[in-house]
Amino acid sequence: MNFRIMLLLVPLVVTNGFSQQGIGSRGEPRRGPDEFFGHPSFAMRSFAFPGTVAGQANIEIRLSMVYDILQFVKEAPDRYHAAYEITAAIVDPKGNEVAGKSFRNEIVVSRYEETNSRQLARDEVLRLDVPAGDYTLTLSIMDIDTQKHLRREEEIKAEDFIAGQLQVSSLAFVAYTKPVAVRDSLN
């Protein structure tokens, strides 16, 4: 028998789980326009799931960044544009990169207030397959306009999800799942 269990707790949302609403002077959540407190500037979480090949794990990296960390350029009276590059690298204890990914993306908004928002956030997901083992994950966001970097590191363990044994993947809080090809996509 081949058992693989992916533990999912439905009540919480991964992408919104990073966020933390600001607290007013009386302890109640703040309402209305953005204030100093909002979402964390940049948050990431990684999860290990069974890979498509025996002896490998699929590392899913979820990140969220507020609009305020990016430089928006006014292109028209109602168009502001920001571009960024995300780079992820998974390195073994000897310093060898076993997996990596890099891509560029952009955000376009119509109001200036949105460009400085600490409430609006962009969520991204990266997936990398790695052999089972212990690694260091490094994730970097670079603002294309300013060339400024934000960087996070995290120690990760990619389990060997051996066929025929009952195992549990990383704990992931999700809103829902939707079937995509052979495995589920977490949203």
Side-chain angles (χ1 to χ4, degrees):
M1 275 200 231
N2 184 1
F3 292 101
R4 291 184 182 167
I5 295 178
M6 186 166 51
L7 186 58
L8 302 174
L9 297 178
V10 177
L12 300 175
V13 179
V14 171
T15 54
N16 291 336
F18 298 125
S19 65
Q20 183 177 14
Q21 189 172 17
I23 304 297
S25 59
R26 295 187 178 144
E28 71 276 8
R30 292 189 177 170
R31 308 258 185 248
D34 292 349
E35 300 201 25
F36 177 75
F37 296 102
H39 297 295
S41 297
F42 165 35
M44 78 170 194
R45 286 280 319 264
S46 63
F47 305 93
F49 299 114
T52 55
V53 177
Q56 286 198 338
N58 179 263
I59 303 299
E60 183 171 291
I61 306 156
R62 292 194 163 255
L63 66 111
S64 182
M65 61 183 162
V66 296
Y67 286 12
D68 189 41
I69 67 171
L70 297 171
Q71 176 69 44
F72 283 81
V73 176
K74 185 175 184 176
E75 297 177 334
D78 63 345
R79 181 179 168 86
Y80 298 85
H81 176 265
Y84 58 92
E85 181 176 89
I86 295 176
T87 304
I90 298 178
V91 179
D92 68 14
K94 294 180 182 178
N96 301 315
E97 185 175 317
V98 296
K101 191 173 206 174
S102 182
F103 68 92
R104 289 183 178 208
N105 208 345
E106 61 184 27
I107 301 172
V108 176
V109 297
S110 59
R111 296 180 316 130
Y112 174 76
E113 294 77 20
E114 294 173 281
T115 69
N116 293 319
S117 178
R118 294 193 55 79
Q119 302 298 325
L120 296 174
R122 171 61 63 101
D123 299 325
E124 298 281 1
V125 178
L126 293 89
R127 292 177 182 87
L128 299 166
D129 288 324
V130 298
D134 295 325
Y135 300 102
T136 301
L137 164 64
T138 303
L139 190 111
S140 173
I141 298 175
M142 180 184 70
D143 183 294
I144 301 296
D145 188 57
T146 64
Q147 299 292 298
K148 290 185 179 179
H149 289 263
L150 288 173
R151 181 181 156 128
R152 298 284 189 272
E153 278 193 6
E154 179 179 301
E155 300 299 316
I156 60 173
K157 181 173 183 72
E159 297 288 340
D160 184 6
F161 293 96
I162 301 169
Q165 293 184 356
L166 180 62
Q167 296 175 326
V168 178
S169 69
S170 296
L171 175 64
F173 296 98
V174 298
Y176 62 91
T177 62
K178 61 181 178 182
V180 177
V182 177
R183 68 179 145 192
D184 287 341
S185 172
L186 300 178
N187 293 309

